[in-house]
Amino acid sequence: QVQLVESGGGLVQAGGSLRLSCAASGNIFSINAMGWYRQAPGKQRELVATITSGGSTNYADSVKGRFTISRENFKNTVALQMNSLKPEDTAVYYCNYHKIGLGYEYDYWGQGTQVTVSS
């Protein structure tokens, strides 16, 4: 089992910044990926950004140049720095731990944290 504890989020005006953090604990595998997904009301959950244990990153086109994902492998933490926020960034943001084992993969999710961007 892997437990994910998120922090950060809140209410911010358009153009502002927020930082989300997530700490993973439990049965952590050395080969994995961590990231952030979001879900707005009435929409499906979508990828925001991911980062592998090797440091490779992937971003949604809608956040490229505005959001930066980072991680500290020693601490099993991942952070998402969100700048130049837009009202369309409003959503519940979920931390994700993607476990890569021998012949299998599995996803763990945090409880979610609300990000609201006012216009």
Side-chain angles (χ1 to χ4, degrees):
Q1 286 289 338
V2 173
Q3 294 77 42
L4 300 172
V5 178
E6 300 152 341
S7 60
L11 174 64
V12 66
Q13 288 188 331
S17 299
L18 284 174
R19 183 177 179 87
L20 306 181
S21 296
C22 176
S25 62
N27 190 15
I28 304 297
F29 276 34
S30 60
I31 301 174
N32 59 72
M34 295 187 72
W36 294 91
Y37 290 70
R38 67 187 181 188
Q39 187 168 17
K43 295 187 177 181
Q44 290 188 332
R45 190 173 297 188
E46 63 177 5
L47 178 148
V48 177
T50 61
I51 184 168
T52 69
S53 50
S56 297
T57 59
N58 181 41
Y59 293 91
D61 288 342
S62 59
V63 307
K64 284 180 180 177
R66 301 188 298 120
F67 292 10
T68 302
I69 191 169
S70 60
R71 67 183 289 173
E72 293 185 47
N73 287 336
F74 180 74
K75 296 182 180 180
N76 294 316
T77 60
V78 63
L80 185 69
Q81 179 65 42
M82 304 184 292
N83 299 328
S84 302
L85 282 161
K86 304 175 181 179
E88 50 264 43
D89 294 318
T90 296
V92 178
Y93 283 70
Y94 295 91
C95 179
N96 170 265
Y97 174 84
H98 185 70
K99 179 178 177 180
I100 303 172
L102 185 61
Y104 73 95
E105 298 180 29
Y106 191 81
D107 285 300
Y108 294 89
W109 297 93
Q111 78 281 3
T113 185
Q114 178 70 46
V115 171
T116 303
V117 184
S118 62
S119 57

